[in-house]
Amino acid sequence: MNRTDYQAIIKPFLSKKRYEHSICVCDEAVHLARVYDANEQKAETAGILHDIMKDVPPDEQLKMMMRYDILLTDVERSAQKLWHAMLGAAYIENELHISDPEILNAVRYHTTGRAEMTTMDKILFVADFISADRDYAGVEQLRKSAVVSLDQAVADGIVFTIQDLVQAGRPIHPDTIAAYNHAILNLNQN
Ligand SMILES: [Fe+2]
Ligand SMILES: [Fe+2]
């Protein structure tokens, strides 16, 4: 399947805004893959599909997760924003028959990050932050830093995520803490 096929698949699942966001993330992921010498086709597939489950109603997402034997921790249950990433990876594996672990993991960890992120994980995580549809304060700076150091951009994105969660009084997923520690230790070493 190619990009056109995947675009047709995601369209009925998503609001117009989220569909356009998915296209923008796809374009940005391909751009970053080119910059960092990663597989552009995998970045394209991960980018276009990453939010496929995001607009599915929460109760339906829970039902689907049960169908795919996804067990939620307390933190995951409390953070609905994380569901679409876990469910999205299971959906594209089971229903779209994508078996490439680089694509599946990039989708699975695009919201939380994780320790030992692969280049594809980093590309999708950062593309989701700096895609053309994003307009939050500081996005221009992050766009600039993303083409200089992917690791720095990941660290900045993780810090942004953690600050956001703390300010909102929400729990932080252990994978996000692990991603933070890993990113900081890694940057300090280099
Ligand atoms: Fe997402
Ligand atoms: Fe997204």
Side-chain angles (χ1 to χ4, degrees), residues 50-51 54 84 110-111 128:
H50 81 288
D51 273 344
K54 189 140 184 180
H84 76 285
H110 84 263
T111 312
D128 200 17

Side-chain angles (χ1 to χ4, degrees), residues 3 17-32 47 50 123-140 142-144 146:
R3 176 175 172 148
K17 191 169 174 242
R18 188 94 58 204
Y19 176 73
E20 280 160 11
H21 164 71
S22 300
I23 304 277
C24 291
V25 170
C26 178
D27 289 341
E28 187 55 48
V30 171
H31 170 230
L32 290 174
H50 81 288
I123 283 172
L124 183 57
F125 181 84
V126 172
D128 200 17
F129 263 96
I130 63 169
S131 56
D133 57 309
R134 300 291 196 196
D135 60 359
Y136 57 87
V139 69
E140 277 309 327
L142 199 52
R143 279 188 186 120
K144 278 187 202 137

Side-chain angles (χ1 to χ4, degrees), residues 157-167 172 176-177 180:
I158 293 285
V159 167
F160 185 88
T161 301
I162 290 176
Q163 282 174 338
D164 217 37
L165 289 166
V166 170
Q167 257 162 25
I172 298 166
T176 305
I177 311 264
Y180 173 79

